[in-house]
Amino acid sequence: MVIDAHGHYTTVPPGLRVFRALQISQMGKPVKSPVNISDDEIRASLEKGQLRLLDERGIDVMIFSPMASAMGHHFGNALISRYWTEVNNELIHRVCTLYPNRFAGACSLPQSPGVSPRDCAQELERCVNEFGFVACNLNPDPSGGYWTGPPLGDEWWYPLYERLEALDVPAMIHASATCNPAFHTTGSHYLNVDATAFLQLMESRVFRDFPRLRIVMPHGGGNVPYQAARYRALAIMNKWEPFDDFVKRIYFDTTVYNQDAMELLIKVVGVDNIIFASEMLGGVNTTDPASGQSFDDNRRFIDAISWLSDADRQKIFETNARKVYARLGAVTAGA
Amino acid sequence: MVIDAHGHYTTVPPGLRVFRALQISQMGKPVKSPVNISDDEIRASLEKGQLRLLDERGIDVMIFSPMASAMGHHFGNALISRYWTEVNNELIHRVCTLYPNRFAGACSLPQSPGVSPRDCAQELERCVNEFGFVACNLNPDPSGGYWTGPPLGDEWWYPLYERLEALDVPAMIHASATCNPAFHTTGSHYLNVDATAFLQLMESRVFRDFPRLRIVMPHGGGNVPYQAARYRALAIMNKWEPFDDFVKRIYFDTTVYNQDAMELLIKVVGVDNIIFASEMLGGVNTTDPASGQSFDDNRRFIDAISWLSDADRQKIFETNARKVYARLGAVTAGA
């Protein structure tokens, strides 16, 4: 079985954007109005897109979450964020209900700048306990590129980590759009957030305080495999846990898109901490002119690595994901 | 000849810190008081450190600039930044005067949040025309991690680019310390700044408007070689210049610290755009337990690459630097 741990509902029907647009006119008095999307619209939005590609590429199950760039935690107040997050998660639940063996849900959290992560617990519990979701996405910078909040090592985040451990679900680190003109959302901002979060955790005691917490780094860890020696030196100079031990506390997805990067990633992190993912349809939704294939058709890079055994590949494609996404069993049983 | 394009005066005598400390008590009325450092102190600060290592490692000339983390553009107002920058640059000038064939100067700029880069022109000209400096360091985020200024593609920066072209000197992109607790200065912040600057330039028309502008990316480009396929896809999706053309407009230093990273860097960027540098003594000033050698003794990784020719190595160690740092001739003539 092949599990893809990183897909967003980027092909969402227009009814969701209608809801979002109305939030601008309701900023003073937010309302959770109904979202007007039919089951047929959901089917159409997936069957030409993600489902077709999953079939073509031999991927059985995708862990599916709301559009990341549209999470927009920087917009409006906590109630705006809550309503928007809820309707997005409810839509993912409808997707998972329509295709129970192809998609497993991962929720967004109703984060908002300056609002305690404790206030996300209720929505996380609803998604896991009522909807059967298997993970959440955690945005380390809800300000959208101004970095006004405490780092992930701060106890500010601990109530959320407690709930993640109690519910036995992992968090994928994932930024949303930046509202800061210094950054490009899916270019510099996403990758900066990954690298920043990695270092925030590295200089923290989070994994000592939450030994069962599971964190997934997207985009192949931003810069981590390439800058491994720098991190290795910093850990020595700062008397942190050695890099090569610390890196095993985190799981890295494979959303990098050429052979060299994929090999470097797996070599630095090790097969036990790699989880297959394509992030399709997402940040690199176009054809590589060099190969004539889609950039995000990245399974082929793993298949082509001569120094991986079949057992290694099974870990990357399936077993590691089952370990990290412990609640995935119900979904994959039927696939 | 071997030229190292990236060294900071990190072993500076305490007299400079005395000046800096006094700036805190003078914030309301900044003063450019004398800096109390003797020539013997300067010699002692270098001969046990950078000079000894340059000799040990067979490096002839180092392009030498003030401590990057201490540039601290976020601290105080424009006049505080100006005085601090001036005394740092004057100290680099003294170093270059004491060791005229070993060090070539690169200046800091008196940047300050919200202050036009136009106001840096005078200090840049002083350093190049009066001191014989060959380059400057440009901080894309003088706010120190809050990213409150315009991106490098904004015309805000154009007066500085005009001066760089007119003076025929390059700018190395280099952050200073972060005052934002979200970041680690030499870890996440430096590397984020590199990647962010790369993308700011990539989505801009800077190199069309300044075809003779030369920009050097430190730290092996942050994440650029590892995430090349992502940048490649983004360029296609956004109709920017193709990544593999754009990357040739920029020069990358070699301050990465293991074999795999060095090979990936040179492979992605190409030998014509790589400039040898070690950033010693700097961010990775410790011994790699795996090899027993200093992390920043990174010349050996280039020497070990079997697919580089002698002509390639000469470009990386010498010729590319002479091209980019066009005013280096006077220094290297005597070396």
Side-chain angles (χ1 to χ4, degrees):
Chain A
M1 175 174 292
V2 176
I3 299 166
D4 183 330
H6 187 175
H8 302 293
Y9 196 2
T10 46
T11 54
V12 69
L16 190 70
R17 308 282 193 179
V18 171
F19 179 96
R20 187 59 159 170
L22 285 172
Q23 286 201 306
I24 297 174
S25 24
Q26 298 161 353
M27 277 186 78
K29 204 178 263 185
V31 182
K32 190 175 171 187
S33 45
V35 174
N36 215 339
I37 296 176
S38 70
D39 284 356
D40 280 347
E41 281 181 291
I42 295 177
R43 286 192 196 94
S45 73
L46 293 166
E47 293 193 356
K48 285 183 200 155
Q50 289 88 342
L51 273 171
R52 178 178 61 80
L53 293 171
L54 290 174
D55 288 341
E56 278 180 20
R57 299 174 186 177
I59 302 169
D60 300 283
V61 173
M62 174 171 260
I63 294 169
F64 207 53
S65 60
M67 276 180 296
S69 65
M71 292 190 298
H73 297 123
H74 59 270
F75 172 69
N77 63 15
L79 195 56
I80 290 265
S81 179
R82 172 165 304 278
Y83 289 158
W84 174 239
T85 304
E86 286 176 4
V87 301
N88 272 276
N89 290 336
E90 287 157 13
L91 194 60
I92 296 294
H93 178 45
R94 288 178 65 191
V95 168
C96 297
T97 305
L98 287 171
Y99 301 97
N101 308 127
R102 302 306 298 277
F103 293 108
C107 63
S108 299
L109 297 173
Q111 297 180 249
S112 196
V115 176
S116 170
R118 186 188 306 274
D119 296 0
C120 297
Q122 192 184 349
E123 177 64 2
L124 176 66
E125 287 179 6
R126 181 176 80 119
C127 290
V128 173
N129 290 331
E130 295 180 30
F131 297 165
F133 282 20
V134 301
C136 71
N137 291 336
L138 188 170
N139 182 356
D141 174 30
S143 78
Y146 288 98
W147 293 94
T148 53
L152 293 176
D154 194 283
E155 293 190 8
W156 168 261
W157 295 95
Y158 276 25
L160 180 59
Y161 301 155
E162 283 165 17
R163 297 316 302 151
L164 289 167
E165 276 202 340
L167 291 165
D168 200 19
V169 294
M172 175 178 276
I173 300 296
H174 211 301
S176 186
T178 176
C179 52
N180 186 330
F183 303 115
H184 180 278
T185 291
T186 59
S188 48
H189 186 52
Y190 278 16
L191 303 176
N192 286 356
V193 167
D194 302 339
T196 301
F198 181 82
L199 212 144
Q200 288 179 351
L201 292 168
M202 197 175 179
E203 60 178 335
S204 82
R205 45 178 299 133
V206 165
F207 291 108
R208 269 173 292 170
D209 292 341
F210 298 94
R212 290 174 295 112
L213 179 66
R214 299 189 298 280
I215 298 285
V216 182
M217 283 285 162
H219 319 118
N223 64 27
V224 172
Y226 176 59
Q227 294 284 353
R230 189 175 189 90
Y231 290 109
R232 209 168 270 135
L234 286 173
I236 295 170
M237 294 162 76
N238 291 284
K239 301 192 185 353
W240 301 329
E241 181 174 32
F243 169 81
D244 296 283
D245 297 333
F246 175 74
V247 83
K248 304 291 185 199
R249 298 191 184 276
I250 291 183
Y251 298 87
F252 289 72
D253 86 2
T254 66
T255 51
V256 292
Y257 304 106
N258 65 22
Q259 194 65 44
D260 288 335
M262 188 68 82
E263 299 205 15
L264 184 65
L265 165 65
I266 299 175
K267 195 169 163 186
V268 170
V269 172
V271 290
D272 290 326
N273 288 64
I274 299 282
I275 293 176
F276 173 67
S278 68
E279 199 188 8
M280 73 81 174
L281 303 160
V284 296
N285 183 18
T286 189
T287 301
D288 184 351
S291 66
Q293 290 180 267
S294 292
F295 278 102
D296 60 15
D297 184 7
N298 63 345
R299 184 183 163 175
R300 60 200 155 106
F301 304 124
I302 299 167
D303 289 335
I305 299 176
S306 60
W307 44 267
L308 288 178
S309 67
D310 287 349
D312 291 338
R313 283 197 189 81
Q314 194 179 353
K315 286 180 178 175
I316 293 170
F317 286 129
E318 179 180 2
T319 329
N320 294 342
R322 288 187 184 280
K323 189 170 64 176
V324 172
Y325 299 84
R327 288 174 172 262
L328 201 53
V331 177
T332 56
Chain B
M1 175 173 293
V2 176
I3 300 165
D4 184 330
H6 187 175
H8 302 293
Y9 196 2
T10 47
T11 54
V12 70
L16 189 70
R17 307 283 194 180
V18 171
F19 179 96
R20 186 59 158 171
L22 285 172
Q23 285 202 307
I24 297 174
S25 24
Q26 298 160 352
M27 276 186 80
K29 203 177 266 185
V31 182
K32 190 176 170 186
S33 45
V35 174
N36 216 339
I37 296 175
S38 70
D39 284 355
D40 280 347
E41 281 181 290
I42 294 177
R43 286 192 196 93
S45 73
L46 293 166
E47 293 192 357
K48 285 184 200 156
Q50 288 88 342
L51 273 171
R52 179 178 61 80
L53 293 171
L54 290 174
D55 288 341
E56 278 180 20
R57 299 174 186 177
I59 301 169
D60 300 283
V61 173
M62 174 171 260
I63 294 169
F64 206 52
S65 60
M67 277 180 295
S69 65
M71 292 189 299
H73 297 122
H74 59 271
F75 172 69
N77 62 16
L79 195 56
I80 290 266
S81 179
R82 171 166 304 279
Y83 288 160
W84 174 240
T85 304
E86 285 175 4
V87 301
N88 272 277
N89 289 337
E90 287 157 13
L91 194 60
I92 295 295
H93 178 44
R94 289 178 64 191
V95 168
C96 297
T97 306
L98 286 170
Y99 301 97
N101 308 125
R102 303 306 298 277
F103 294 109
C107 63
S108 299
L109 298 173
Q111 297 180 248
S112 196
V115 175
S116 169
R118 187 188 305 273
D119 297 0
C120 297
Q122 192 184 350
E123 177 62 2
L124 176 65
E125 287 179 5
R126 181 176 81 120
C127 290
V128 174
N129 290 330
E130 295 179 28
F131 297 166
F133 283 19
V134 301
C136 72
N137 291 336
L138 189 169
N139 182 356
D141 175 30
S143 78
Y146 288 98
W147 294 94
T148 52
L152 293 176
D154 194 283
E155 294 190 7
W156 169 261
W157 296 95
Y158 277 24
L160 181 59
Y161 301 155
E162 283 164 16
R163 297 318 301 153
L164 290 166
E165 276 202 339
L167 292 165
D168 200 20
V169 294
M172 176 178 275
I173 299 298
H174 210 301
S176 186
T178 176
C179 53
N180 186 330
F183 303 114
H184 181 279
T185 290
T186 60
S188 47
H189 186 52
Y190 278 15
L191 303 177
N192 287 354
V193 167
D194 303 338
T196 302
F198 182 82
L199 212 142
Q200 288 179 351
L201 292 169
M202 197 175 178
E203 60 178 337
S204 81
R205 45 176 300 131
V206 166
F207 291 108
R208 268 173 292 169
D209 291 342
F210 298 93
R212 291 174 296 111
L213 179 66
R214 299 188 299 279
I215 297 286
V216 182
M217 283 285 162
H219 318 119
N223 64 26
V224 171
Y226 177 59
Q227 295 284 353
R230 190 175 189 90
Y231 289 108
R232 209 168 270 135
L234 287 173
I236 296 169
M237 294 161 77
N238 291 285
K239 301 192 184 356
W240 300 330
E241 182 175 32
F243 169 82
D244 295 282
D245 297 333
F246 176 74
V247 84
K248 304 290 185 200
R249 297 191 185 276
I250 290 184
Y251 298 87
F252 289 72
D253 87 1
T254 65
T255 51
V256 293
Y257 303 107
N258 65 20
Q259 193 66 43
D260 288 335
M262 189 68 81
E263 299 205 14
L264 185 65
L265 166 64
I266 300 176
K267 195 169 162 186
V268 170
V269 172
V271 290
D272 290 326
N273 288 65
I274 299 282
I275 293 176
F276 173 67
S278 68
E279 199 187 8
M280 96 37 199
L281 303 161
V284 295
N285 184 17
T286 190
T287 300
D288 183 352
S291 67
Q293 291 180 267
S294 292
F295 279 102
D296 60 15
D297 184 9
N298 63 346
R299 184 184 162 174
R300 60 201 154 108
F301 305 124
I302 299 167
D303 289 335
I305 299 177
S306 60
W307 44 267
L308 287 178
S309 67
D310 288 348
D312 291 339
R313 282 195 191 84
Q314 194 178 353
K315 285 180 179 176
I316 293 170
F317 287 129
E318 180 180 1
T319 329
N320 293 342
R322 287 186 184 280
K323 190 171 63 177
V324 172
Y325 298 83
R327 288 174 173 263
L328 201 53
V331 177
T332 55

